[in-house]
Amino acid sequence: MAEEKTTILDGVGVKRALTRIAHEILERNKGIADLVLVGIRTGGVHLARELSARLEEIEGGRVPVGEVDITLYRDDVKGHAPHLPVGKTDIPFSVEKMKVVLVDDVLFTGRTIRAAMDAIMDHGRPDCIQLAVLIDRGHRELPIRADFVGRNVPTSRKENIVVMFDADNRPTEVVLEK
Amino acid sequence: MGFKHKDIIGLQDLTREEIQLLLDTAENMKEISDRDIKKVPTLRGKTVVNVFYEASTRTRTSFEIAAKRLSADTINISASTSSTTKGETLSDTALNILAMKPDIIVMRHAASGAHHYLAQRVSCSVINAGDGAHEHPSQGLLDMLTMRQKFGTIEGLKVAIVGDITHSRVARSAIFGLTKMGAAVCLAGPPTMMPPGIERLGNVTVCTDMRDAIEGADVVMMLRIQLERQGKTLLPTLREYARYYGLNPGNLPLAKKDAMVMHPGPINRGVELSSYVADGDQSYILKQVENGVAVRMSMLYHVSGGELPTE
Amino acid sequence: MNLLIKGGRVIDPSQGIDETLDLLVENGKVKEFGKGISAPAGAETIDAAGMIVTPGLIDMHVHLRDPGLEYKEDIVTGTRAAAVGGFTSVACMPNTKPVNDNKAVTSYIITKARNEGIVNVFPVGSITQGSKGEALAEMGDLKEAGCVAVSDDGRPVTSSELMRRALEYAKGMGIMVISHAEDLSLVGEGVMNEGIVSTELGLKGIPWAAEDAATARDVYLAELTNSPLHIAHVSTKGALRIIRNAKARGVKVTCETAPHYFSLTDDAVRGYNTNAKMNPPLRTADDVAAVKAALADGTIDAIATDHAPHHLDEKDVEFNVALNGIIGLETSLPLSLKLVEEGVLTLPALVEKLACNPAKILGIDRGALKPGSVADITVIDPNAAWTVEAEKLASKSKNSPFIGLEMKGAAVYTIVGGKMVFKRN
């Protein structure tokens, strides 16, 4: 079966979406005080760095970026034989009493977000956790909702959404694979 | 690439890629032990049974901590192999443990091959925490992790291993693992403690003079000498052993300037290792212990992933 | 019952016969052999075309475990396994419970074998009382009761002085001493051959020198005392060199090897296979080559199995606590026939080592098919292909490293005293 690919966001579209999300984060949190970003490996980490750069452009201060690997928190560990390789979790700051913005590329069932929230909670007790995603494709299986969304894309379960990155880990486009 | 084995009996059975995967996972699991909440839910509901036929506080504790950090339930069984009180056979012990429905058995046993035997008879995973003079894979892995943290790679390292090679499972796992990862291993020890044919196990050379082995080495691994086990036919005295096969500030400079000094513990201070060296800047002994937990978490995680489904 | 074995290749090295002949057995004895013999009235005829007809095979080194260790084997099952393997006679070692160091035990074995066994059983008594290596056993009594040799098999006579006296004393009684040549202090806690495999597996090794040194001692003592000596289960290159040299200078030494010493190396231990654990241990490829060379040049006189049955509970354990030994009666013939296929031995030379020489060494009236000889005959199909299966073995124990392997060659008829005791289906 030949795969059909449709571009949902091109390079410019992705940039615009991220800029808008950065503004929304600032508006919601009234600046960057106590704000930290935690990207979910691996796409979410790249996007978190992009967002951090934009926040710095706008506000002139650095927002720290951490990365979380959710492999050890998956609810379907058993379903993977052999077990998936474990990626690096690196949160080089305390999340205690911080406003954590969790960043991922695509929000789908919500299970990854649940795992990431558990992982962050194991690092400390943040003031709050917010969720920023580039694409929300629906089909939630848990009561989870994004605070900041780049684009809502209605999909069927069989379809696949891929966020593409270039060699420098900068987002280039988002495609829908049928 | 995944880890396809039900058991980890020895590093001899693993490929370079599998060892790499175990080390990478261990590296990424280290972070868990640095948190306030030193626990991930991965092996929740799994039961790990530690069966130790030989006393070993540190290895057992390390496995126990590793299992707990992955949220597994752990049970410790100290079994006795005393030949005076004719104990239960290994086969019966295995069946009894199986009745507890464990997911992983971590065993230490005085008989080389005991894990081989056990793994063929139980459906759950078996991890070797040391079998006789055969293998001690978790020690081999933590040694390699410690080296890799310092040098970035194991490929091309010169590693000297000094001591009683014949009776050492630590040495065998190190040799199998290191040579597979591309290191050159130089062994030294009294010829009474050098098993025949060991130089045929890969990139391994044997030196009778310890100084030849440690010269230019990146890593010097000292083995624990156990006179009570070896008896008097292999060595005259510990005093003479220390003189010819001990690492001290006098001979350590033969190794590379920033060479690592390693020891599986517990140390006989003043015998194979002088306190100056054991507590010196080049000593990575405590780092090894620290890495032990991460390596054992990695082993527990990957064996519980089970075998590849055959499709 | 009379029997005519028609058209087989009759091989009897004791008479230099190797040709297609008919063989007539009457009243338990060989009546005649020749071409075109017709069956007398009432005689059963065996069509032996394509088969080999030999003097009944003799295994001069087996453990029947009876009395005392019948849970491993007994005279009934052990002689049955012998018959299946083509053996019409076996010599059984004295390490029973109690040890066969007195005529009461010897008589028990002989009586039970006569009543319940199906092949000839020739007991071997012990050299020392209780095989303890302290005091000589009553060799005169043992011989009179029916023992064909003495041995402390399973262990050496550690005292050189006692071994010297044993050789001297046995000579006076006209009984052969069989040596289990092993230096126990060199063996130590060893459980397999010392070498690269033991190094890899982390198992304690037994150096070849443990066998060589003990063989040398016993050969020198045989030379000193001018007594005959038979060395059991030779497995090393060095021991064979010692025996070869001794024979060349006229020492009355003979020796045997077992099929596993020319079929397997210590590689078989990998995986901690307890069915590859025996004493002496499986050696290296070099030793296997030396054993074959020594079979070819006549240094090794006999092939004996060292059939050593053990219960599953004694083998299904960690390697270092497993008991030594494997069963061998039912696999010896095909493994030995392989030597012919490999060109190590001619068929007649093989028959010598499996029948004629053991008879000669033990001084028993067997191993030949002359008119008037006791009709112990083995009819062999050298091409029979079969697989060793544990549940089909006649032996009570199943401790064989050859289980699951393909074999070529088998006994088709085993005839003891003119009576067919085994027929292969």
Side-chain angles (χ1 to χ4, degrees):
Chain A
M1 193 184 77
E3 270 188 6
E4 196 183 312
K5 287 187 184 179
T6 327
T7 300
I8 291 169
L9 282 176
D10 59 10
V12 178
V14 172
K15 272 183 192 154
R16 278 191 197 129
L18 288 172
T19 307
R20 179 171 51 75
I21 290 174
H23 281 287
E24 286 175 12
I25 290 172
L26 290 171
E27 208 174 310
R28 166 91 164 263
N29 294 291
K30 302 186 173 59
I32 56 167
D34 300 334
L35 192 67
V36 295
L37 300 177
V38 173
I40 298 175
R41 283 178 66 93
T42 51
V45 175
H46 305 327
L47 295 175
R49 293 198 197 290
E50 287 293 314
L51 280 174
S52 175
R54 277 174 176 65
L55 291 170
E56 192 169 352
E57 272 169 35
I58 304 164
E59 290 288 297
R62 275 192 50 77
V63 178
V65 177
E67 45 192 282
V68 65
D69 181 273
I70 58 113
T71 312
L72 297 172
Y73 288 86
R74 295 181 75 104
D75 57 12
D76 59 349
V77 174
K78 253 185 280 175
H80 293 273
H83 276 176
L84 299 167
V86 177
K88 188 179 166 108
T89 292
D90 184 13
I91 305 178
F93 44 78
S94 169
V95 297
E96 201 72 26
K97 295 189 178 147
M98 300 298 272
K99 295 174 191 164
V100 175
V101 178
L102 192 56
V103 184
D104 203 1
D105 47 7
V106 180
L107 176 58
F108 185 21
T109 60
R111 289 177 190 270
T112 298
I113 306 304
R114 192 282 304 159
M117 287 195 289
D118 284 352
I120 288 169
M121 295 295 200
D122 280 357
H123 281 77
R125 186 175 183 279
D127 216 30
C128 64
I129 297 178
Q130 297 160 17
L131 175 62
V133 298
L134 186 57
I135 304 292
D136 181 350
R137 59 171 291 192
H139 304 290
R140 215 75 77 241
E141 292 167 3
L142 295 173
I144 281 170
R145 167 187 68 75
D147 300 88
F148 314 105
V149 179
R151 167 82 59 98
N152 283 296
V153 181
T155 58
S156 85
R157 278 190 172 270
K158 283 179 200 154
E159 288 165 337
N160 199 17
I161 296 228
V162 184
V163 180
M164 320 280 272
F165 295 90
D166 64 14
D168 299 325
N169 294 326
R170 307 192 67 127
T172 53
E173 62 173 332
V174 179
V175 295
L176 177 73
E177 295 174 350
K178 288 191 182 180
Chain B
M1 226 294 295
F3 193 82
K4 305 195 292 282
H5 302 277
K6 170 175 91 77
D7 315 297
I8 299 178
I9 311 288
L11 299 188
Q12 192 179 22
D13 314 323
L14 302 182
T15 63
R16 187 185 167 111
E17 289 70 30
E18 286 163 342
I19 291 174
Q20 197 86 47
L21 177 66
L22 285 166
L23 295 179
D24 289 346
T25 302
E27 189 66 56
N28 288 333
M29 281 177 163
K30 283 197 65 182
E31 163 265 338
I32 297 164
S33 299
D34 295 332
R35 302 182 195 166
D36 272 355
I37 299 173
K38 300 176 180 60
K39 202 187 247 305
V40 292
T42 322
L43 298 187
R44 207 173 37 171
K46 301 269 186 198
T47 302
V48 176
V49 179
N50 290 318
V51 193
F52 277 65
Y53 281 89
E54 284 182 331
S56 157
T57 315
R58 55 176 72 203
T59 305
R60 188 187 51 68
T61 309
S62 184
F63 267 112
E64 194 177 347
I65 292 172
K68 290 194 156 132
R69 295 214 167 139
L70 290 169
S71 298
D73 298 310
T74 60
I75 297 162
N76 294 317
I77 297 174
S78 323
S80 158
T81 40
S82 163
S83 51
T84 46
T85 56
K86 198 166 164 78
E88 197 173 45
T89 65
L90 182 54
S91 164
D92 282 339
T93 306
L95 293 175
N96 277 292
I97 293 169
L98 269 191
M100 302 175 194
K101 312 252 184 251
D103 299 286
I104 303 171
I105 296 175
V106 175
M107 182 169 83
R108 167 163 294 186
H109 200 284
S112 299
H115 297 77
H116 223 279
Y117 176 90
L118 183 69
Q120 286 170 350
R121 282 160 186 80
V122 299
S123 50
C124 66
S125 293
V126 174
I127 292 180
N128 183 357
D131 66 324
H134 178 224
E135 281 227 44
H136 192 350
S138 63
Q139 181 72 40
L141 289 168
L142 73 89
D143 289 341
M144 288 193 283
L145 185 66
T146 313
M147 292 178 209
R148 209 177 68 164
Q149 282 164 359
K150 178 166 167 68
F151 295 110
T153 177
I154 288 161
E155 180 94 46
L157 293 182
K158 179 185 174 184
V159 181
I161 306 178
V162 182
D164 180 358
I165 310 294
T166 301
H167 300 91
S168 177
R169 53 190 171 220
V170 174
R172 277 178 186 71
S173 284
I175 290 167
F176 291 134
L178 286 167
T179 54
K180 220 164 254 182
M181 302 310 282
V185 176
C186 290
L187 304 174
T192 48
M193 297 176 163
M194 197 60 72
I198 189 94
E199 68 284 352
R200 275 148 61 195
L201 295 186
N203 189 359
V204 178
T205 49
V206 175
C207 308
T208 35
D209 190 330
M210 173 188 178
R211 289 170 296 190
D212 295 336
I214 62 176
E215 184 157 12
D218 298 288
V219 182
V220 182
M221 281 179 67
M222 301 303 295
L223 300 175
R224 177 179 165 78
I225 194 85
Q226 283 169 294
L227 203 59
E228 70 277 14
R229 189 180 284 182
Q230 277 90 58
K232 293 277 184 195
T233 60
L234 305 181
L235 278 185
T237 58
L238 289 180
R239 183 190 152 275
E240 183 158 298
Y241 181 83
R243 197 163 152 221
Y244 287 93
Y245 300 101
L247 191 66
N248 53 57
N251 55 18
L252 180 58
L254 287 170
K256 282 198 183 139
K257 220 187 177 113
D258 61 341
M260 307 170 76
V261 172
M262 298 175 65
H263 189 290
I267 308 167
N268 295 305
R269 286 176 180 264
V271 185
E272 69 265 6
L273 212 50
S274 86
S275 285
Y276 295 106
V277 175
D279 305 330
D281 294 343
Q282 288 174 258
S283 172
Y284 283 76
I285 297 168
L286 293 177
K287 197 83 195 154
Q288 288 175 274
V289 178
E290 192 188 318
N291 282 331
V293 173
V295 152
R296 291 174 179 119
M297 286 170 76
S298 170
M299 294 168 86
L300 290 165
Y301 172 71
H302 282 296
V303 293
S304 59
E307 293 168 88
L308 265 180
T310 43
E311 283 172 32
Chain C
M1 193 190 71
N2 301 332
L3 201 58
L4 178 67
I5 304 167
K6 268 194 92 70
R9 177 177 168 191
V10 177
I11 299 178
D12 180 2
S14 74
Q15 307 172 75
I17 294 172
D18 179 4
E19 60 180 306
T20 303
L21 295 169
D22 303 336
L23 189 71
L24 182 63
V25 172
E26 246 180 47
N27 304 319
K29 307 247 167 167
V30 174
K31 167 88 172 163
E32 59 171 325
F33 51 84
K35 287 188 193 285
I37 299 177
S38 47
E44 191 182 334
T45 301
I46 291 173
D47 177 9
M51 311 228 181
I52 298 162
V53 180
T54 72
L57 306 184
I58 301 168
D59 189 342
M60 64 181 294
H61 193 140
V62 305
H63 297 269
L64 294 179
R65 308 293 192 208
D66 193 350
L69 302 164
E70 296 88 348
Y71 68 96
K72 299 176 193 242
E73 192 84 282
D74 59 33
I75 286 171
V76 177
T77 57
T79 58
R80 167 104 192 121
V84 171
F87 293 98
T88 56
S89 298
V90 295
C92 60
M93 290 295 152
N95 56 343
T96 45
K97 262 189 184 168
V99 169
N100 183 13
D101 64 355
N102 64 74
K103 65 180 174 190
V105 178
T106 307
S107 306
Y108 162 84
I109 294 168
I110 288 176
T111 309
K112 182 162 179 190
R114 193 177 296 142
N115 295 338
E116 299 175 45
I118 59 169
V119 307
N120 307 303
V121 175
F122 295 99
V124 174
S126 65
I127 298 173
T128 63
Q129 293 172 29
S131 283
K132 286 187 184 138
E134 289 161 6
L136 293 178
E138 292 177 334
M139 296 185 195
D141 244 22
L142 286 170
K143 179 168 181 184
E144 225 173 276
C147 283
V148 291
V150 287
S151 172
D152 277 358
D153 189 67
R155 63 178 84 175
V157 176
T158 47
S159 156
S160 303
E161 153 69 5
L162 188 58
M163 187 62 175
R164 173 215 172 140
R165 299 306 176 198
L167 285 162
E168 287 172 342
Y169 191 83
K171 183 167 67 165
M173 291 298 165
I175 193 163
M176 167 71 87
V177 174
I178 300 176
S179 156
H180 171 112
E182 187 182 28
D183 183 319
L184 290 181
S185 70
L186 276 174
V187 171
E189 292 171 351
V191 293
M192 68 171 293
N193 183 54
E194 181 180 288
I196 177 124
V197 183
S198 68
T199 291
E200 234 178 286
L201 297 179
L203 290 171
K204 287 213 165 89
I206 301 172
W208 50 262
E211 182 170 337
D212 295 19
T215 303
R217 182 201 74 170
D218 287 351
V219 162
Y220 284 129
L221 292 176
E223 191 169 10
L224 172 74
T225 58
N226 191 26
S227 304
L229 169 71
H230 179 77
I231 313 267
H233 43 56
V234 182
S235 72
T236 66
K237 186 164 125 181
L240 289 165
R241 190 171 51 223
I242 290 160
I243 294 164
R244 185 178 292 119
N245 290 343
K247 282 185 164 185
R249 63 178 190 273
V251 182
K252 288 183 259 176
V253 61
T254 54
C255 74
E256 76 196 24
T257 193
H260 38 277
Y261 298 123
F262 57 75
S263 306
L264 297 172
T265 66
D266 56 359
D267 258 330
V269 178
R270 285 182 199 280
Y272 301 91
N273 178 6
T274 57
N275 281 336
K277 184 180 179 184
M278 66 280 289
N279 191 19
L282 293 173
R283 307 283 186 182
T284 65
D286 234 22
D287 295 297
V288 168
V291 166
K292 286 182 180 174
L295 281 161
D297 73 13
T299 302
I300 296 175
D301 305 272
I303 295 170
T305 64
D306 196 3
H307 180 80
H310 287 301
H311 193 270
L312 181 67
D313 288 348
E314 297 162 327
K315 282 292 195 182
D316 183 20
V317 289
E318 303 92 291
F319 191 86
N320 60 334
V321 297
L323 295 185
N324 280 316
I326 59 167
I327 55 169
L329 282 166
E330 293 167 77
T331 49
S332 175
L333 181 57
L335 294 171
S336 301
L337 280 167
K338 218 167 161 193
L339 294 171
V340 177
E341 210 170 279
E342 291 171 1
V344 175
L345 292 175
T346 61
L347 253 181
L350 180 65
V351 174
E352 270 190 307
K353 297 190 199 290
L354 281 172
C356 313
N357 292 347
K360 225 184 286 171
I361 293 165
L362 298 175
I364 57 177
D365 173 28
R366 292 293 193 284
L369 294 175
K370 294 175 183 152
S373 303
V374 177
D376 284 1
I377 302 165
T378 305
V379 180
I380 299 163
D381 176 353
N383 297 314
W386 58 287
T387 305
V388 186
E389 289 169 81
E391 53 286 1
K392 289 194 181 162
L393 291 170
S395 175
K396 211 179 263 187
S397 291
K398 315 295 174 193
N399 51 315
S400 167
F402 301 108
I403 283 169
L405 297 187
E406 300 273 331
M407 295 281 149
K408 194 177 155 199
V412 189
Y413 302 99
T414 305
I415 297 153
V416 177
K419 193 176 150 212
M420 195 185 298
V421 296
F422 169 71
K423 179 176 182 227
R424 187 180 165 83
N425 296 314

